[in-house]
């Protein structure tokens, strides 16, 4: 990639996670990972998970409600953070061991070497994303939050705030920049995503890369002048 022609005060590389850095989505895999190791009887509820997915497809429920329902079915209505944390760690180990695009890791390393601050922005849950980010050496993370009305010990199967997706993800990015005293005109931004829902983030960036893109993003990217790469090419 070309370096910026000016010398900005901040260089930021924004990455989506699922199917951008990872080879597949991580959300369903995490829920099944937890159910298999914690309460295997919950796997009998998978037909209800499928029904919830169908309800989402026909627009009876939104994406946030779907995520909360699936979490409640496969993990529980209310659960102890200390009980789930080891499972989040073991799931992160699994993702790191065999679930990443090698080319994505190479690009992250190249961005760091070029002086970019790496931001991971994903709709997946902080509950396990933080463990994955830690293994990748990424300190700046925006992810979907879960409700913790009882304090740090217990988590409820409902979202706290918006799902970190699409325009809501972009709003979180803007808030993060404000919190870090980064103005747009003082920053040079690269953005990477596989999905057209990240159009706001990609449009915001100086350099945008459609990484192993979905069909909709593959069609949009050339019209927007965005680079298209296939990170599946390297194992």
């Amino acid at each position: 990639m070309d370096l910026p022609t000016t010398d900005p005060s901040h260089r930021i590389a924004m990455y989506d996670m699922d199917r951008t850095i990872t080879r597949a989505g991580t959300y369903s895999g995490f829920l099944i990972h937890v159910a298999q190791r914690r309460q295997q009887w919950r796997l009998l509820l998978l037909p209800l998970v499928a029904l919830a997915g169908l309800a989402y497809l026909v627009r009876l429920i939104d994406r946030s409600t779907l995520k909360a329902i699936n979490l409640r079915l496969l993990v529980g209505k209310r659960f102890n953070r200390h009980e789930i944390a080891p499972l989040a760690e073991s799931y992160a180990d699994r993702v790191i061991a065999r679930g990443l695009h090698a080319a994505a890791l190479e690009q992250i390393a190249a961005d760091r070497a070029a002086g970019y601050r790496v931001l991971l922005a994903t709709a997946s849950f902080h509950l396990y994303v933080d463990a994955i980010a830690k293994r990748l050496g990424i300190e700046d993370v925006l992810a979907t939050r879960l409700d913790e009305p009882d304090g740090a010990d217990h988590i409820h199967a409902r979202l706290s705030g918006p799902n970190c997706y699409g325009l809501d993800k972009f709003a979180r990015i803007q808030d993060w920049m404000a919190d870090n005293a980064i103005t747009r005109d003082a920053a040079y931004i690269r953005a990477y995503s596989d999905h057209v829902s990240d159009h706001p983030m990609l449009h915001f960036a100086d350099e945008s890369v459609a990484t192993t893109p979905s069909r909709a993003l593959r069609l949009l990217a050339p019209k927007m002048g965005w680079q298209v790469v296939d990170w599946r090419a390297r194992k």
Side-chain angles (χ1 to χ4, degrees):
M1 284 188 177
D2 296 332
L3 292 175
T5 55
T6 59
D7 187 16
S9 300
H10 305 276
R11 295 182 182 182
I12 306 166
M14 300 177 177
Y15 285 80
D16 175 48
M17 187 180 78
D18 285 6
R19 298 184 178 89
T20 298
I21 297 174
T22 65
R23 294 178 183 170
T26 60
Y27 164 70
S28 296
F30 172 71
L31 298 182
I32 293 173
H33 179 86
V34 172
Q36 286 176 332
R37 289 155 181 78
R38 181 169 170 264
Q39 295 174 325
Q40 290 190 4
W41 64 266
R42 288 188 177 276
L43 297 175
L44 298 174
L45 303 178
L46 284 173
L48 297 180
V49 171
L51 284 176
L54 180 60
Y56 169 72
L57 288 176
V58 299
R59 300 185 179 181
L60 293 177
I61 60 174
D62 62 17
R63 186 179 293 265
S64 297
T65 302
L66 174 66
K67 293 175 78 168
I69 289 172
N70 290 344
L71 184 65
R72 183 170 182 169
L73 289 171
L74 294 178
V75 180
K77 179 180 178 181
R78 177 177 179 271
F79 46 91
N80 190 294
R81 176 181 291 278
H82 299 297
E83 184 181 358
I84 298 299
L87 298 175
E89 296 290 334
S90 61
Y91 184 67
D93 286 337
R94 177 180 172 182
V95 171
I96 295 297
R98 55 181 183 270
L100 304 179
H101 288 300
L105 300 182
E106 291 171 8
Q107 186 60 55
I108 291 171
D111 284 338
R112 283 187 174 129
Y116 283 79
R117 181 174 177 178
V118 176
L119 171 67
L120 184 64
T122 174
S124 293
F125 295 139
H126 267 294
L127 190 62
Y128 67 89
V129 169
D130 289 343
I132 295 173
K134 182 178 179 181
R135 285 156 175 76
L136 294 173
I138 299 175
E139 296 182 358
D140 294 295
V141 180
L142 302 176
T144 299
R145 304 183 183 100
L146 292 173
D147 199 8
E148 302 180 29
D150 305 325
D153 291 339
H154 291 95
I155 301 171
H156 289 230
R158 55 178 179 258
L159 275 58
S160 176
N163 188 30
C164 190
Y165 180 86
L167 285 170
D168 288 317
K169 179 192 288 190
F170 181 53
R172 293 277 303 277
I173 288 170
Q174 291 180 302
D175 289 344
W176 175 85
M177 290 179 65
D179 290 344
N180 284 272
I182 301 172
T183 59
R184 183 63 187 88
D185 59 358
Y188 190 88
I189 298 173
R190 291 174 173 173
Y192 306 83
S193 179
D194 73 292
H195 200 267
V196 72
S197 64
D198 277 323
H199 174 272
M201 177 180 78
L202 294 167
H203 185 72
F204 185 65
D206 297 287
E207 294 180 58
S208 301
V209 185
T211 61
T212 320
S214 62
R215 182 178 182 276
L217 183 56
R218 184 177 293 277
L219 293 173
L220 177 64
K223 299 175 184 178
M224 302 298 296
W226 299 338
Q227 182 181 357
V228 176
V229 298
D230 189 339
W231 281 350
R232 296 170 299 183
R234 280 180 266 176
K235 299 293 184 182

